[in-house]
Amino acid sequence: MNFNSFSDDDLHLKTLEAASHERSATLLLLGFLAEVDDRRLYNARGYSTLWEYAHLALGFSESQASERVSAMRLMRKVPEVRAKLESNSISLTATSKLATFVRREKCGEARTLDLLEKITEKPTREVERLLAAEQTIADAKPDFRRSSGPGITRIAFDADPEFLALFETLRDIQGRPNWSMNDRLKAALRIAIAAKTPKIKAAANSENQSEAEFESNSESKSESKSDPALDPKLDPKAVPKLDPASRYFSKPAGAQKPTRYIPVSVRAVTYQRSAGRCEFVDARTGRRCESRFGLHLDHVHPFAKGGDSSAANIRHLCASHNQFAAIREFGAAKCGAAEIGAH
């Protein structure tokens, strides 16, 4: 487009028109995000949260994704927000700040509407001042990580009194007055991680350890001997890849009755294969979630529908995709979640 061809008046009108289109496009986007959220389509496409979907799939920056998700959820809670955005009475940034305030203060609809009127037609700095005056709960600053040199990352977060007391206790236990906070927390984290995965790591790394040495349950031992995929010496690359589109497995002849108990050897194989990340894969795009948050051991073919606890039927799913899989299998009503479409 040759902007030089426009007169000053035409350029002004075209700019106003473009701004109007941008506001309309933003409102349309918020509507789409609301539907994506309702259907949990972000889960289906391999993302653990709507924010991650907006950031990675839609290409918004981290702050832009946060603004749009927050504004959408406030608009869904208080429909009057849409009219304010449409008329440009409040900005997307102001809406996001109000959404954060409402969530932190647990505001009801009446107070939210009152605050909405107070920030209408106000610039961002004035919105911040007005909300600060209404604040009753401390506003913790978000945690952040920032590179501060080769191999060094600065981490900042707000610590509450309990954390400070625990840290003092940790320092007394560890001793070593010359240790930095980095040294102390690394040592504590190593112990915490080792306490959660000692059997898994032993089963995955041992070359000579027999099944009987780490399986005390007799039923689990017989299952392990009948299923070569449970061999702790098994190369994880040899385990068949899970097909997210395949929901059912046939039982071999003479197979034992399935049990909810997941043998340690199966956990070891699953951990090796997943590398401690969610294994959900979008069948359409091939995108894997890979979230490390709240991992669950999930039956690909549900135990309630006859699925067993073999290595081929156990996978790691993050908390979000575990709930998503349950909703797809058993319905939203039974899982206590919003209904989602089969899209």
Side-chain angles (χ1 to χ4, degrees):
M1 181 179 293
N2 184 9
F3 295 102
N4 291 328
S5 64
F6 294 129
S7 67
D8 288 352
D9 288 339
D10 287 340
L11 180 60
H12 175 61
L13 291 173
K14 290 292 184 183
T15 303
L16 290 175
E17 184 181 350
S20 177
H21 288 327
E22 182 180 23
R23 284 194 294 273
S24 298
T26 298
L27 285 169
L28 182 62
L29 172 66
L30 296 182
F32 279 124
L33 283 177
E35 188 64 17
V36 168
D37 195 30
D38 287 341
R39 298 187 188 186
R40 296 186 71 129
L41 184 59
Y42 58 90
N43 277 154
R45 294 288 82 85
Y47 300 93
S48 60
T49 64
L50 182 63
W51 176 87
E52 188 181 38
Y53 175 85
H55 174 45
L56 299 178
L58 304 184
F60 290 108
S61 69
E62 294 181 357
S63 60
Q64 288 173 333
S66 294
E67 279 189 349
R68 282 150 181 80
V69 171
S70 295
M72 175 275 292
R73 288 182 171 152
L74 181 63
M75 190 172 71
R76 188 163 52 184
K77 178 180 179 181
V78 183
E80 289 82 355
V81 171
R82 180 182 179 85
K84 298 285 188 181
L85 285 169
E86 196 166 15
S87 64
N88 203 30
S89 299
I90 55 173
S91 66
L92 193 63
T93 300
T95 306
S96 175
K97 290 184 179 296
L98 176 59
T100 300
F101 181 92
V102 168
R103 183 172 60 252
R104 183 181 64 248
E105 298 276 335
K106 297 181 174 58
C107 299
E109 185 176 352
R111 190 181 181 200
T112 302
L113 287 171
D114 179 58
L115 291 169
L116 180 62
E117 290 303 319
K118 287 183 177 181
I119 68 170
T120 297
E121 304 288 355
K122 298 293 192 300
T124 301
R125 287 187 180 278
E126 181 67 10
V127 169
E128 291 174 342
R129 189 190 69 77
L130 287 168
L131 294 179
E134 296 281 344
Q135 185 173 318
T136 61
I137 299 175
D139 182 13
K141 294 182 179 179
D143 302 347
F144 80 89
R145 294 186 296 178
R146 182 179 300 158
S147 177
S148 59
I152 299 295
T153 299
R154 174 162 290 277
I155 299 176
F157 63 93
D158 289 336
D160 61 16
E162 183 184 8
F163 176 88
L164 294 176
L166 289 171
F167 186 77
E168 290 298 324
T169 302
L170 176 66
R171 188 166 58 180
D172 292 341
I173 293 172
Q174 290 175 326
R176 300 178 181 264
N178 61 318
W179 268 16
S180 66
M181 184 178 288
N182 180 63
D183 295 326
R184 294 190 186 284
L185 293 181
K186 278 197 302 186
L189 288 170
R190 289 192 191 103
I191 294 172
I193 292 170
K196 286 290 185 180
T197 57
K199 293 183 179 179
I200 301 275
K201 293 178 72 175
N205 296 329
S206 174
E207 291 296 329
N208 301 311
Q209 191 177 29
S210 68
E211 187 75 17
E213 287 178 305
F214 61 85
E215 288 295 346
S216 59
N217 186 289
S218 60
E219 180 179 344
S220 301
K221 287 190 288 183
S222 60
E223 283 181 0
S224 301
K225 293 176 182 177
S226 65
D227 186 351
L230 305 188
D231 186 349
K233 302 176 187 177
L234 183 67
D235 183 348
K237 295 181 181 178
V239 180
K241 291 184 178 180
L242 297 178
D243 179 3
S246 174
R247 308 295 294 172
Y248 304 99
F249 294 82
S250 59
K251 292 185 180 180
Q256 296 187 7
K257 183 180 179 180
T259 172
R260 284 190 180 275
Y261 176 76
I262 300 175
V264 174
S265 52
V266 174
R267 296 169 185 260
V269 171
T270 303
Y271 187 84
Q272 282 188 298
R273 185 187 61 234
S274 73
R277 293 181 173 88
C278 177
E279 294 186 273
F280 181 89
V281 178
D282 178 11
R284 296 189 181 184
T285 65
R287 186 187 190 281
R288 176 176 168 178
C289 173
E290 296 194 341
S291 170
R292 293 178 178 273
F293 179 72
L295 289 182
H296 295 253
L297 288 167
D298 175 72
H299 290 77
V300 179
H301 174 43
F303 179 83
K305 294 184 177 181
D308 59 21
S309 296
S310 67
N313 194 42
I314 297 297
R315 61 182 173 181
H316 266 146
L317 290 184
C318 65
S320 181
H321 276 114
N322 187 51
Q323 184 182 37
F324 178 71
I327 294 171
R328 281 288 173 88
E329 288 288 353
F330 303 106
K334 190 168 184 178
C335 298
E339 189 61 78
I340 57 175
H343 295 268

